[in-house]
Amino acid sequence: MIAKRFAIALVLVATVVPCVAQENTQIVAAGAQAKKLAGDFKFTEGPAADAQGNVYFTDIPANLILKWSVADGKLSTFLANSGGANGLYFDKDGNLLACQGGDRRLVSISPKGEITVLADKYEGKRFNSPNDLWIDPNGGVYFTDPRYGSRDGMEIEGEHVYYLTPDRKKVIRVVSDMVRPNGVIGTPNGRRLYVADHGANKTYSYRIGGDGTLSDKQLFAEQGSDGLAIDARGNVYLTGKGIAVYSRQGEKVAEIPVPEGPANLTFGGADNQTLFITARTSLYSIPTEVRGARTPIRPGERRGGREGRQRPRQQ
């Protein structure tokens, strides 16, 4: 009788627990839902976390870069007149690199708000509208250059992906066969780059060469994305109606619902174990079971656990 009840219980467990929910528990903290931290913005984008886990993000139409503090949960303005800043990313020196889509350039912003132009042209022609970026372990910068809205004043034919060399003296075009590239993220070991072709609704992965050039293009997901993030296990996060999480092998392992359509996302917080999401008029957060992948701003830094310190095994 006991054996029979045990067998029935096993069947019930296997039947009741749905696949997606089971997978979600591996990514999102048990029972957690996206929490609205701040709202009433025009269109939020480009979140990036500093060394303390504070999150900076942009309100593109309002021409602002904002800061959400993890210590007290307060919101402040980091930079007004942001040049239409979109994607953000911190370098190892604590400077905030920004894709100024409105001013059509890539810049570095010091902690004091001093702006240095890193790149504004390719072969003498102004960029379309730099959108998103990722800094590799050597300090080189990959950035996408699509054009949304009016196409007036475009000097470059097509929409491409570029690489600013670590010495910041040369810009190389590394992807030239996409419809409209947008989100970009790489693995912490600098071996693989993910680029979302928002225009073709697909995401691809590439092998990164020693000189920053890309090869071995592979279809990673039959889904495009506005922004991308990566965690310490190598899972890649794509935005759409919600957030889709894919394993390194390109298998969807989780879906995370968000009250508003997400545009971009990043890991942050004091332990780098909170996912921050920019979604239309708001900033959301959700605690996770996995930490975000290491970035250039955390070299050798202890982030509250072995998983956050170890370099994940990548492709």
Side-chain angles (χ1 to χ4, degrees):
M1 185 69 174
I2 294 175
K4 184 176 181 180
R5 288 178 179 175
F6 181 72
I8 292 173
L10 285 177
V11 171
L12 287 174
V13 169
T15 303
V16 171
V17 179
C19 181
V20 172
Q22 189 175 30
E23 290 165 343
N24 270 346
T25 60
Q26 300 174 9
I27 302 295
V28 174
Q33 295 181 341
K35 176 184 177 181
K36 185 175 179 177
L37 302 176
D40 297 324
F41 304 110
K42 294 182 179 180
F43 189 87
T44 57
E45 250 285 6
D50 66 13
Q52 289 71 47
N54 302 307
V55 175
Y56 293 66
F57 63 99
T58 58
D59 186 345
I60 300 174
N63 212 26
L64 296 172
I65 297 179
L66 301 154
K67 174 186 175 182
W68 190 85
S69 171
V70 297
D72 54 20
K74 291 184 178 180
L75 186 72
S76 60
T77 297
F78 172 68
L79 183 69
N81 301 317
S82 69
N86 191 332
L88 307 174
Y89 207 89
F90 279 94
D91 70 13
K92 62 181 178 60
D93 298 317
N95 299 307
L96 182 62
L97 271 62
C99 287
Q100 290 187 324
D103 288 345
R104 300 166 68 174
R105 61 189 189 177
L106 176 69
V107 302
S108 174
I109 308 170
S110 75
K112 295 181 179 180
E114 301 165 338
I115 298 176
T116 301
V117 177
L118 301 181
D120 59 0
K121 295 179 181 178
Y122 176 72
E123 295 183 344
K125 297 179 180 180
R126 294 184 68 195
F127 291 120
N128 298 326
S129 185
N131 185 290
D132 203 2
L133 73 159
W134 177 71
I135 303 174
D136 71 16
N138 297 320
V141 185
Y142 291 92
F143 62 99
T144 57
D145 186 39
R147 171 62 73 92
Y148 290 89
S150 173
R151 306 182 76 76
D152 293 342
M154 287 180 60
E155 299 179 16
I156 295 176
E157 183 177 348
E159 304 171 40
H160 312 295
V161 183
Y162 298 90
Y163 179 67
L164 176 65
T165 56
D167 60 10
R168 299 185 175 175
K169 293 181 179 179
K170 185 178 181 180
V171 175
I172 302 169
R173 182 181 289 172
V174 291
V175 177
S176 58
D177 60 352
M178 287 191 171
V179 178
R180 183 161 296 135
N182 195 314
V184 59
I185 198 76
T187 57
N189 58 17
R191 295 177 184 171
R192 189 159 290 275
L193 187 75
Y194 299 92
V195 184
D197 188 344
H198 198 238
N201 196 33
K202 298 182 187 299
T203 298
Y204 296 92
S205 71
Y206 298 84
R207 188 175 302 280
I208 299 175
D211 59 355
T213 56
L214 305 177
S215 62
D216 188 28
K217 178 182 179 181
Q218 297 180 16
L219 178 64
F220 177 71
E222 288 278 2
Q223 176 184 341
S225 185
D226 198 339
L228 298 175
I230 189 169
D231 67 27
R233 298 175 189 166
N235 297 312
V236 181
Y237 296 62
L238 280 65
T239 58
K241 292 182 179 179
I243 296 169
V245 185
Y246 290 82
S247 70
R248 293 195 304 262
Q249 292 74 31
E251 300 173 351
K252 186 184 289 188
V253 296
E255 294 181 357
I256 305 172
V258 183
E260 299 178 69
N264 213 328
L265 68 174
T266 192
F267 281 90
D271 58 1
N272 199 30
Q273 200 168 336
T274 300
L275 191 63
F276 290 85
I277 307 154
T278 52
R280 300 303 186 265
T281 64
S282 307
L283 174 70
Y284 292 86
S285 72
I286 187 166
T288 60
E289 294 290 347
V290 60
R291 289 183 171 84
R294 295 189 305 173
T295 72
I297 62 164
R298 300 187 178 96
E301 187 175 2
R302 298 174 68 90
R303 299 292 293 176
R306 183 180 180 187
E307 184 180 66
R309 297 194 304 270
Q310 283 189 323
R311 179 172 294 181
R313 296 173 65 185
Q314 304 291 351
Q315 296 173 341

